Amino acid sequence: MSEAAAQQLKRVERTFFSRSALEVAPALLGKLFTVGSVTIRVTETEAYLQDDPASHSYSGVTNRNRVMFGPAGILYVYFTYGMHWCANVVTGGAGDGQAVLLRAGLAESGHEIVSARRPGRQAREWTNGPAKLAKALDLDGRRNGVDLCSEDSVGFFDDNQVVVDVEVTPRIGISKAKDLPQRFLYNAEQQGSSPKPG
DNA sequence: CCATAGATCGGCT
DNA sequence: GCCGATCTATGGC
C-alpha cells in the first residue's frame, strides 16, 4: 500500500464518541490526538461509566464533573492530587455521565514543544501517564469543555493505524471497583513503522 | 529495575 | 477534615 493512503487523515467525528465508553476506550487506541502543534498517538485509555464507584460522575452532577454529563466529543479536564491535570473525552449521550481517560500516548509531532514542556525528562517519560500526557499537550482547566469535533487545531484523527494485541486490564490508581477490566492498552513501539525482531 | 515517601489543594462528606 | 482516575526523587537490589 502507498504511504499516502496509509497517512490519509480522517477526523474522528462525534458519532464515534456517542456510544458507551466501554466501546470508545479500546477504539481510541492508535488514533491521533492533536492539540495545537502537538500530536500524540493514543496508546492507553480507561473507561468510566456513571454506574461506577470510581467515576467522578458516580454521585451525580457537580460543578467539577458537569462536562461528563454533556454531549459526547467534549474534553473533560480535571485537577487532582493538588498539582496534576488529567484529560478525558466525554462519551455516550447527553446525561450519561461517562468519559474515557487518556492515560498514555506517543509523541508523533511537536517533539520540540513537548520536550520544552517536560524539561529534563527522557522522551520515554513524556506521555506515559495521564498527567504527563495532559502536561505535554498543555491541557488544563482552561480547556475543560472544549469541543474536540469542531476545530481543526484540536481533536482526534485517524490515519488507519492498525492496532493489534490490545491488552485489557483493571484500572490504575483507584481504590473502588478495582477489579473492573476497563483499561485498554497496546505496545505501539512494537508495531509501528520501525519493526524490530522478537 | 523495584518500592516507598512526599508534594499540594480542590471537591466533597 | 479526608482523600484522590498522579508524579517525582530517592534509596535499595
Side-chain angles (χ1 to χ4, degrees):
Chain A
M1 94 183 84
S2 72
E3 286 293 309
Q7 294 180 357
Q8 186 89 359
L9 286 188
K10 290 175 308 200
R11 170 180 280 284
V12 177
E13 307 283 352
R14 201 177 313 282
T15 52
F16 177 95
F17 301 106
S18 301
R19 51 185 166 147
S20 168
L22 287 175
E23 298 175 55
V24 176
L28 268 180
L29 296 177
K31 298 290 187 291
L32 298 172
F33 185 30
T34 296
V35 179
S37 304
V38 174
T39 296
I40 63 99
R41 190 179 300 280
V42 178
T43 61
E44 182 178 336
T45 59
E46 279 177 356
Y48 285 88
L49 301 176
Q50 186 175 4
D51 180 21
D52 172 0
S55 175
H56 291 170
S57 58
Y58 183 63
S59 299
V61 185
T62 67
N63 188 54
R64 173 171 75 154
N65 67 20
R66 65 191 148 75
V67 170
M68 289 183 77
F69 291 86
I74 305 295
L75 189 68
Y76 167 50
V77 190
Y78 69 87
F79 182 70
T80 192
Y81 288 102
M83 64 197 94
H84 298 305
W85 296 94
C86 297
N88 303 245
V89 199
V90 176
T91 60
D96 280 355
Q98 51 173 260
V100 171
L101 172 67
L102 303 173
R103 281 198 62 89
L106 285 177
E108 291 280 328
S109 65
H111 292 76
E112 305 226 337
I113 297 172
V114 175
S115 177
R117 289 174 182 165
R118 307 273 303 127
R121 274 71 166 200
Q122 298 296 316
R124 178 178 198 85
E125 305 294 321
W126 283 352
T127 51
N128 63 338
K132 300 178 189 179
L133 181 60
K135 186 75 176 176
L137 291 169
D138 194 30
L139 296 175
D140 60 23
R142 301 188 314 266
R143 307 269 191 162
N144 188 37
V146 161
D147 188 355
L148 299 173
C149 305
S150 66
E151 293 173 50
D152 287 345
S153 62
V154 181
F156 289 88
F157 299 88
D158 190 346
D159 67 346
N160 301 313
Q161 173 84 199
V162 176
V163 173
V164 297
D165 295 336
V166 173
E167 266 188 85
V168 185
T169 82
R171 294 169 299 179
I172 301 290
I174 56 173
S175 55
K176 305 164 191 168
K178 270 185 162 126
D179 48 336
L180 296 180
Q182 293 180 186
R183 171 177 179 243
F184 306 89
L185 67 155
Y186 79 108
N187 189 336
E189 290 164 338
Q190 206 167 66
Q191 52 190 278
S193 52
S194 50
K196 77 179 171 91

